[in-house]
Amino acid sequence: MALGLGTMTILKRGQEEATEILRTALDEGIVHFDTADVYANGAVESLIGQTFSPEDRSRLFLASKGGNRMNATGTGWTWDPSYDYLKQACFESLNRLETSYLDLYYVHGGTMEDDLDASIRAMKDLQQEGRIKEYGLSSLRPNVINYWLENSDFSYLMTPYSLLDRRIEELLPRLQERNIKLVARGPLAKGLLTTESTSRLQSVDRFEQYDKEQLEQVLTTLQAYPLPAMALQAIDQQADIVLPGASSVSQLQANLKAMRETLSAEEIAHVLSLLPVHTYTEHR
C-alpha cells in the first residue's frame, strides 16, 4: 500500500479534527505527508510542525511545495518561481514545519514563460545545502513536465491522476525510464469516485475531458464496482504514491479501508479497459 495524505483541506473542520487526522494517519502506518506553504496561508505547515514530535520525525516523509508568493494580507498569492523566492519559501516552510530538512520539495506549478532553469537551479542548490533530500515538480502541463525531464534530475512528479483523468499515462514510459516517482493527486476526483459520487455530481458541470452527460455515463459504469476501493487501487498500480486528502478522521479511515479491500488484478484490469485514456493533445 502506497498511501499518503494530502493536507490541503485538512483544516476544514478545525484544528482539533486536523490534529487527530494527522495522528491517526501516522498510527495507521501512513508516513508520506504532503503539504504546501499556501495551504491555509501556512497554517497547515504550522499544524504539522506542532503535531509531530522530534521523535516522530525519523518516521515521516515530509513533502512541501513553493512558488506561490502570498500577498501582504494573506488573502491571495501571485506565482513566483524565481531562484531567490524558492529558496526563501523553502526556508520559511522549514521553520513552520519545525524541521531542519524536507524529504521532498516541489516547485508548485509553472509555465513555459517562467525561467525554468532558475527554478531547477534553486532546487539543486537547496539539495546541496541539505535543506531538502529530493526535489520534484507539481504540474499538470505536459510541456513543463517534458522540459524538466530533459533539463533536470528531479525525482518526483506530482500530477492529477484518477480513473477520470489518465492523461499522465501518456508520459509513464518516460517517467519509468528515468526512475521518477509518480505521485497521484486527486485520485478520488473531487469525491466523484467515492460513495458520495451521486451527490457530488450534482454540483459538477464537467470534469476534465468529460461533459456532464459523459461523466454520468462513466460513473454509472464505475458504480457497479466498489468505490473508492477501485479508484484508489487502480491508480496504485501505476503511481508510487496515491495521495487522497481528508478533512475528517472518517474520510481518512474510509481511504484506509478502501486501500485494504480485496480486489483482484483481473477486476482492476477489466475496469481500466472500460474507461477511455485521453491524451494531453486532446485536452491541455
Side-chain angles (χ1 to χ4, degrees):
M1 179 177 74
L3 189 69
L5 179 65
T7 61
M8 185 171 68
T9 63
I10 199 170
L11 279 166
K12 184 177 181 179
R13 303 189 187 188
Q15 184 167 329
E16 184 176 347
E17 181 82 2
T19 300
E20 189 175 353
I21 293 169
L22 293 172
R23 293 299 331 173
T24 301
L26 186 60
D27 291 344
E28 291 283 354
I30 291 176
V31 296
H32 189 120
F33 292 86
D34 178 85
T35 189
D37 54 1
V38 292
Y39 293 172
N41 194 15
V44 173
E45 287 184 328
S46 295
L47 176 71
I48 292 170
Q50 293 160 13
T51 299
F52 294 127
S53 68
E55 290 72 27
D56 293 324
R57 182 65 183 93
S58 62
R59 300 166 58 194
L60 302 178
F61 186 100
L62 284 182
S64 193
K65 314 177 197 72
N68 293 296
R69 184 190 286 269
M70 296 299 300
N71 61 26
T73 61
T75 57
W77 59 81
T78 55
W79 175 234
D80 186 354
S82 64
Y83 177 92
D84 289 341
Y85 184 68
L86 283 171
K87 296 199 71 177
Q88 173 190 333
C90 181
F91 180 74
E92 292 173 354
S93 288
L94 290 171
N95 284 340
R96 285 189 292 267
L97 287 161
E98 300 183 25
T99 183
S100 60
Y101 70 96
L102 285 169
D103 297 282
L104 172 61
Y105 193 54
Y106 295 97
V107 172
H108 199 178
T111 71
M112 291 303 292
E113 286 69 50
D114 300 330
D115 186 345
L116 298 177
D117 292 329
S119 299
I120 292 167
R121 190 168 69 253
M123 305 304 268
K124 288 183 176 181
D125 286 354
L126 285 166
Q127 188 177 39
Q128 290 176 352
E129 293 164 9
R131 297 186 188 274
I132 64 176
K133 288 191 173 182
E134 297 184 271
Y135 71 92
L137 172 67
S138 177
S139 179
L140 49 71
R141 294 181 172 90
N143 49 3
V144 174
I145 295 170
N146 279 316
Y147 189 93
W148 275 60
L149 282 166
E150 294 164 5
N151 295 279
S152 79
D153 57 354
F154 72 119
S155 303
Y156 285 79
L157 173 67
M158 176 185 287
T159 200
Y161 189 21
S162 72
L163 291 177
L164 299 181
D165 185 357
R166 298 171 61 190
R167 288 172 293 172
I168 190 58
E169 291 180 11
E170 181 181 352
L171 295 180
L172 276 178
R174 293 195 68 192
L175 297 176
Q176 293 165 348
E177 181 183 339
R178 291 277 309 278
N179 294 317
I180 294 168
K181 296 180 176 64
L182 176 61
V183 180
R185 70 170 176 86
L188 297 177
K190 301 178 182 177
L192 289 168
L193 299 177
T194 70
T195 54
E196 299 177 3
S197 61
T198 301
S199 61
R200 295 293 181 98
L201 184 60
Q202 304 311 310
S203 61
V204 175
D205 292 326
R206 61 172 288 109
F207 183 90
E208 298 298 339
Q209 300 87 347
Y210 302 93
D211 61 29
K212 192 154 191 174
E213 182 178 348
Q214 293 168 327
L215 189 56
E216 288 174 346
Q217 292 171 351
V218 171
L219 291 178
T220 297
T221 299
L222 288 172
Q223 284 164 3
Y225 301 89
L227 294 175
M230 181 61 71
L232 292 178
Q233 292 187 38
I235 298 306
D236 186 49
Q237 287 196 336
Q238 297 283 14
D240 295 276
I241 299 292
V242 182
L243 200 67
S247 57
S248 68
V249 174
S250 61
Q251 284 184 352
L252 172 64
Q253 295 287 13
N255 293 339
L256 287 161
K257 180 181 177 182
M259 285 293 278
R260 292 165 177 161
E261 192 168 333
T262 301
L263 294 176
S264 69
E266 290 76 18
E267 286 178 287
I268 293 172
H270 177 65
V271 168
L272 290 172
S273 73
L274 299 176
L275 301 176
V277 182
H278 299 94
T279 67
Y280 285 108
T281 53
E282 292 175 279
H283 181 85
R284 288 182 182 270

